[in-house]
Amino acid sequence: MDLSDYLRFLVRRWRAIVALGLLGTAVGAFVTHTITPQYRATSTLFVSLQDWDDTVKLNQGNTFAQARVRSYAEVATSPRVTEPVIEFLRLDMSPSQLARKITTEVPLETVLLKITVTDTQPSRAARISDAVAHRFAEVIARIEQPEGARHSPVRLSITEHASKPKKPASPNLVINLALGLMAGLGLGTGLAVARESLDTSVRSRGDLARCLADTGGPAVLGSVVLDQSASRHAVATDDDAFSRRAEDFRRLRTNLRFVDIDAPPKVIAVTSAVPAEGKTSISINLASSLAEFGSSVCLVDADLRRPRVAGALGLVQDAGLTTVMIGQANAEDVMQSAGSFSVLASGVLPPNPAEMLGSAQFRAVVRSLADRFDHVVIDTAPVLPVADTPAMSAAVDGYLLAARYAKSSRGQVTDAVRALQDVGATVLGSVLNMVPAKRDSEQYGYGYDYRPKTSGRRNRLRLLARLTPRPRLRLSRRGKPATIDTFPAPAVPTAKDTTPAAANEGGDHH
């Protein structure tokens, strides 16, 4: 992961980072208003030597004072200083507690010593600072006074008495707010990095391409934008023929045509690693986009566990693929129309889907459909939960793997591709589904809408007028088929089932 990747996900998670930054600022403000203010008062002392009137001696004394003053600083917190101060000011604290309030500072290359006292009351801080300075001067004079001498050669003079502070030294509102903001932003950035590192979901075409590259698989053939109205309009062109979603499926159709120019895939199975990744929607719209190109297309619902095609298109589900496979009806008897393409629903759900889809009977049905139609799109079950999809590999030309944005994990995509490769299946490519419109625009560098100025309804009418008309099939409208009371074992297909239909059924061949 390079710098651009880090910047990209930081921008993607900017709301969380900003929220934590504001939270840190609020914590800084809260701490500032809850901590008891502390005031600081400082007294300054000057260290000198007495009775040295010679210039040379004065210089020597100044050097001596600079060397000694640093040792004097440690005496300011000793009990010899703090105990008398407590007694004099009648303070309610111990010598050690007072010592923790006292700090000393010796400016570089000077004979000055600053004594600072920190206290919750400004006036008491000033009184303690002056009292400590006076007592400190007395203690140093006694320490430096030679035995038998009347005076000490060292004198400490108070050059600046402590004044009552007007503002508290701490807490500092500006500093606390800045620290809180920096801590919040740092925490937010760290959490964003950690979450991105732990997040294995596919969030871009680049993520999906890397998954496929790890397995030696194919390229990403496209992405489909998320459309909240997709549940109401299964076919994207029914809502708006020039919508972003409709154009995405046209781009996917075009890319599929270039997967293998010498042997273009005719029977395409659409699958996903796990459920709820939008494979049925891709199957329906892929069939619609292929039909829009002028081809005759049949959509087969081969998900014999949770079929969704008939329900999405408002067709009959109980008569379809399994009905044909058990020899109870011919394909043309149960074929239904979805407008521009034909649909073979799932039929009655069998107790053994994997065996049914891996049987010679299923391959015969698919071959007969491939002879009648230019393209056959098969909606299948997910790869990882069940063995249905790999079992039908001998009947299809290749698989189109759907992955859902921010839901499919990289491990799931990799495992699904390898599961198909293990049975010798061809994976034609992959498509990233349900990509938010903003994210899709960022990947391509544009987000504009380019469409004719005429209304969407007029566009749809013109589009349907260009489609080659097809004869109405027997179950083109909703009806109740005969109920299959028993489910016999798959029978060998009859000659009538496998005989190619007339060339004019389903449109012109290409």
Side-chain angles (χ1 to χ4, degrees), residues 70 72-77 102-106 113-116 132 136:
R70 297 190 178 278
Y72 296 159
E74 302 296 330
V75 181
T77 57
I102 302 172
T103 57
T104 58
E105 178 188 1
V106 179
L113 190 147
K114 296 179 179 293
I115 298 177
T116 302
V132 169
F136 174 72

Side-chain angles (χ1 to χ4, degrees), residues 224-248:
V224 179
V225 71
L226 176 65
D227 189 351
Q228 301 297 338
S229 64
S231 59
R232 300 189 302 271
H233 304 281
V235 180
T237 54
D238 287 349
D239 179 36
D240 187 350
F242 297 98
S243 64
R244 285 280 303 279
R245 184 163 168 257
E247 294 297 338
D248 288 340

Side-chain angles (χ1 to χ4, degrees), residues 5 7-9 11-13 196 202-207 223 225-226 244 405-406 432 434-446:
D5 293 328
L7 294 177
R8 188 178 299 110
F9 72 72
V11 171
R12 186 166 63 243
R13 304 188 186 279
E196 189 70 18
V202 178
R203 291 183 171 271
S204 67
R205 293 184 60 174
D207 291 343
S223 61
V225 71
L226 176 65
R244 285 280 303 279
Y405 173 86
L432 185 59
M434 301 185 188
V435 181
K438 184 177 180 180
R439 292 288 303 149
D440 195 52
S441 301
E442 291 173 356
Q443 292 185 40
Y444 290 102
Y446 60 83

Side-chain angles (χ1 to χ4, degrees), residues 48-217:
S48 61
L49 298 179
Q50 302 185 75
D51 301 330
W52 287 18
D53 51 1
D54 184 77
T55 304
V56 176
K57 291 183 177 181
L58 285 174
N59 290 333
Q60 294 175 349
N62 186 55
T63 304
F64 173 81
Q66 289 182 14
R68 302 285 277 184
V69 72
R70 297 190 178 278
S71 301
Y72 296 159
E74 302 296 330
V75 181
T77 57
S78 65
R80 295 183 63 178
V81 176
T82 57
E83 289 179 354
V85 171
I86 292 174
E87 182 178 355
F88 175 73
L89 297 178
R90 298 179 180 179
L91 301 176
D92 185 17
M93 63 182 69
S94 64
S96 60
Q97 289 176 333
L98 177 58
R100 287 194 293 269
K101 294 177 177 289
I102 302 172
T103 57
T104 58
E105 178 188 1
V106 179
L108 186 64
E109 296 182 356
T110 67
V111 291
L112 298 176
L113 190 147
K114 296 179 179 293
I115 298 177
T116 302
V117 175
T118 304
D119 194 75
T120 56
Q121 299 179 16
S123 58
R124 187 169 64 179
R127 292 198 307 271
I128 294 176
S129 180
D130 281 342
V132 169
H134 283 288
R135 180 59 187 173
F136 174 72
E138 295 175 1
V139 170
I140 294 300
R142 292 178 183 177
I143 292 175
E144 294 290 356
Q145 183 178 355
E147 186 175 354
R150 297 179 58 185
H151 301 286
S152 171
V154 178
R155 181 176 63 186
L156 276 73
S157 305
I158 300 178
T159 60
E160 184 179 355
H161 289 274
S163 59
K164 180 180 176 180
K166 298 180 180 179
K167 296 181 180 179
S170 65
N172 189 306
L173 178 61
V174 176
I175 294 178
N176 289 345
L177 291 179
L179 290 176
L181 177 61
M182 293 176 61
L185 293 177
L187 179 61
T189 303
L191 290 177
V193 173
R195 183 175 179 181
E196 189 70 18
S197 301
L198 297 175
D199 185 9
T200 61
S201 63
V202 178
R203 291 183 171 271
S204 67
R205 293 184 60 174
D207 291 343
L208 187 56
R210 284 188 286 270
C211 293
L212 299 175
D214 291 340
T215 61

Side-chain angles (χ1 to χ4, degrees), residues 431-508:
V431 56
L432 185 59
N433 195 24
M434 301 185 188
V435 181
K438 184 177 180 180
R439 292 288 303 149
D440 195 52
S441 301
E442 291 173 356
Q443 292 185 40
Y444 290 102
Y446 60 83
Y448 55 79
D449 194 15
Y450 191 73
R451 64 175 67 234
K453 295 182 179 180
T454 55
S455 64
R457 179 175 178 83
R458 185 179 302 173
N459 291 331
R460 292 196 297 271
L461 293 176
R462 290 179 178 178
L463 180 64
L464 292 176
R466 291 198 302 268
L467 296 177
T468 303
R470 293 177 174 83
R472 178 173 296 181
L473 298 175
R474 293 183 60 183
L475 287 180
S476 59
R477 64 170 184 263
R478 304 186 95 178
K480 182 67 175 178
T483 303
I484 301 178
D485 298 328
T486 60
F487 195 88
V492 177
T494 62
K496 185 177 181 180
D497 294 334
T498 57
T499 300
N504 62 349
E505 183 169 348
D508 296 335

